[in-house]
Amino acid sequence: PPRRPDLITPRRSARRHARRHQPTTTPPRHHALTHQPTHAPGTSFLKLDALLSANPPDVAALSAQFAITDVAAAADNSTVGALMSTTTSELFFATSAMSVLETWLKLCVPAIEDGNNFGVGIVMEAAKMCSDARGELEKLQASVPDYYKERGAAYAAIAPKTTTSTTESTSKADDKSTKDGTLEATAKEGASSSSETKTTGGTASPDQISHVVALDVMWYLKLYAACDRVRSLYAAVCDFLEKVRRCRDCVPVLSGPC
């Protein structure tokens, strides 16, 4: 028969309440595991590594390739321009990837408890690594357009000079004559204009021409180094996250696929 409420002792009631509200031993799965980064740093690293490995820089070869024989045809450098486009794209996507990873890691921070907060420190360290990498990439990205300013100023000193001159003239004349005792006056007016354009070669010294070549070589190496830095940051961040993922006991929330 069911027990009467008045026969349930306070001790039995307390034990029943404790069993009913006993916490589970298995922690709930963190929802942040489903927030995977939209960019894949690992894939980007492999593509960038293949690109850089296939085109190692050679200073002597670059100097010979960028040598200026026709000043008029050296208004731009298509090789550096192509690398400029690649570098800008890589810096943009790397900055975006680091920002996404940083946000994802902050969403993965486990609950802070009394005592053991080792997992919290690991996740925050990973987030800081991504934040520092993003800041470095943003500075590199901001410095890329300086190439055009520096080369434009250097090329202006050796570029052919074009001058245009325009001459305008106006003439007026009044003719007077007498016909049948009557004075007749005739006014004549004329205007003419001429334009002349001259292009003369600049009086550039060999050092000024070498300066332009040196800028092209330097910026090619600088852009290559920027792409190489992107590759290194991809490798460092992915390696750190992979090590954390394998340490399931350290940070269980990051034990899923990164």
Side-chain angles (χ1 to χ4, degrees):
R3 292 180 179 270
R4 289 167 43 189
D6 56 345
L7 295 180
I8 301 178
T9 63
R11 181 176 297 178
R12 290 179 178 176
S13 177
R15 289 199 301 266
R16 182 178 300 176
H17 178 80
R19 288 195 302 269
R20 184 178 303 172
H21 296 85
Q22 183 177 4
T24 58
T25 57
T26 304
R29 183 178 295 272
H30 203 285
H31 294 293
L33 284 176
T34 60
H35 296 281
Q36 298 297 329
T38 55
H39 299 287
T43 304
S44 299
F45 167 81
L46 294 176
K47 291 182 178 179
L48 189 57
D49 181 64
L51 175 65
L52 296 178
S53 299
N55 299 276
D58 186 335
V59 176
L62 289 172
S63 299
Q65 179 182 352
F66 298 159
I68 297 176
T69 55
D70 183 1
V71 175
D76 62 348
N77 188 313
S78 59
T79 302
V80 178
L83 183 56
M84 172 79 67
S85 177
T86 300
T87 304
T88 303
S89 178
E90 291 293 340
L91 287 172
F92 170 76
F93 285 111
T95 303
S96 178
M98 294 302 168
S99 179
V100 171
L101 282 173
E102 180 186 356
T103 303
W104 175 66
L105 287 167
K106 289 180 178 179
L107 293 175
C108 290
V109 176
I112 300 177
E113 301 176 354
D114 294 336
N116 185 16
N117 289 315
F118 180 72
V120 177
I122 291 296
V123 177
M124 294 305 296
E125 180 66 23
K128 183 179 183 302
M129 178 182 292
C130 293
S131 177
D132 293 344
R134 176 175 55 82
E136 182 180 351
L137 292 172
E138 287 176 348
K139 291 180 180 179
L140 288 174
Q141 191 173 7
S143 66
V144 167
D146 290 343
Y147 164 72
Y148 295 107
K149 180 176 67 175
E150 294 180 10
R151 193 183 192 279
Y155 180 74
I158 66 173
K161 304 299 186 293
T162 300
T163 58
T164 302
S165 60
T166 302
T167 303
E168 296 182 356
S169 61
T170 303
S171 62
K172 294 182 179 180
D174 294 331
D175 293 338
K176 296 180 180 180
S177 61
T178 302
K179 183 178 182 180
D180 299 333
T182 303
L183 181 63
E184 295 181 353
T186 303
K188 297 181 180 179
E189 183 175 350
S192 62
S193 176
S194 62
S195 177
E196 183 180 8
T197 301
K198 294 181 179 180
T199 301
T200 59
T203 58
S205 66
D207 286 342
Q208 289 176 314
I209 296 177
S210 298
H211 182 210
V212 177
V213 176
L215 280 177
D216 286 338
V217 173
M218 183 198 70
W219 270 98
Y220 185 95
L221 298 175
K222 191 172 182 178
L223 295 172
Y224 186 96
C227 290
D228 186 48
R229 184 56 183 160
V230 172
R231 177 176 60 175
S232 299
L233 290 174
Y234 276 147
V237 172
C238 289
D239 179 70
F240 185 86
L241 293 179
E242 178 64 19
K243 290 176 180 177
V244 173
R245 186 186 69 84
R246 292 179 180 179
C247 184
R248 299 177 181 273
D249 296 334
C250 299
V251 191
V253 74
L254 295 181
S255 61
C258 294

